[in-house]
């Protein structure tokens, strides 16, 4: 459920910023698991 | 687990943050991230109005400045301009609060909610509610004191002052800072 919510926010932000499908995000999404990815 | 759990995760675990920089793993990544566009109020309002899976979207804009009350001062305080639902999304509880707060005051007033370090250090023997604190050249009336959060990674989280987002944008906003949104996922039924 959390991943779906994050994906929705990412999709909306990418759409508003007109990012091509293969471009990296020009924003960051930090969840509770972000510390573990460092 | 074949039963309904309204909020099964501990506070904070069902929240994520949309930020301009994120956690940069290297100096190069940090330098590249400086070129990213700012996250603006328009982004916040669009997310708030469009998200279907999120229970709430809150906005935060902040920077560290010196806060003063009378002759006392507290350096490097995190002054946060927040949307009205921020405390609910980030689980900030209020320990003390003034009784007469109008809804319009919550959105645009010149008030502040102090972290608990302030009353113990600066208003030790007096009631902080109703006192005035200054940030840069602006004055804010204290309407509440937040509950202690504690520390994370050895750093105290109790050195902040919360003011309304629109007041912050008008008086303390700097273009380079941008805003951060916190989204809380919906509890499905």
């Amino acid at each position: 459920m959390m991943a779906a919510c994050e994906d929705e926010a990412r999709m909306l932000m990418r759409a508003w910023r007109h990012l091509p499908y293969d471009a990296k995000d020009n924003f960051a999404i930090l969840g509770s698991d972000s510390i573990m990815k460092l | 687990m074949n039963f309904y759990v309204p909020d099964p995760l501990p506070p904070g675990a069902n929240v994520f943050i949309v930020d301009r920089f994120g956690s940069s793993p290297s100096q190069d990544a940090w330098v590249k991230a400086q070129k990213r566009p700012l996250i603006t109020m328009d982004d916040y309002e669009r997310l708030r109005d469009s998200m279907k899976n999120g229970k709430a979207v809150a906005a935060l804009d902040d920077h560290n400045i010196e806060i003063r009350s009378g002759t006392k001062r507290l350096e490097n305080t995190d002054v946060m301009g927040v949307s009205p639902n921020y405390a609910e999304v980030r689980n900030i509880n209020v320990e003390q609060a003034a009784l007469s707060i109008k809804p319009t005051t919550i959105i645009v007033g010149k008030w502040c909610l102090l972290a608990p370090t302030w009353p113990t250090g600066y208003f030790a023997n007096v009631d902080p509610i109703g006192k005035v604190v200054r940030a840069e050249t602006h004055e804010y009336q204290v309407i509440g004191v937040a509950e202690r959060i504690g520390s994370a990674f050895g750093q105290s989280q109790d050195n902040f002052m919360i003011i309304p987002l629109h007041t912050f944008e008008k008086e303390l906003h700097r273009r380079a800072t941008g805003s951060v949104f916190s989204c809380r996922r919906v509890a499905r039924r």
Side-chain angles (χ1 to χ4, degrees), chain B residues 138-149:
Chain B
H138 307 286
E139 294 187 340
Y140 304 95
Q141 190 174 28
V142 180
I143 64 161
V145 178
E147 259 182 20
R148 185 171 293 279
I149 297 174

Side-chain angles (χ1 to χ4, degrees), chain B residues 173-184:
Chain B
H173 175 72
R174 289 169 192 158
R175 187 172 144 62
T177 54
S179 301
V180 174
F181 319 128
S182 304
C183 305
R184 187 166 200 165

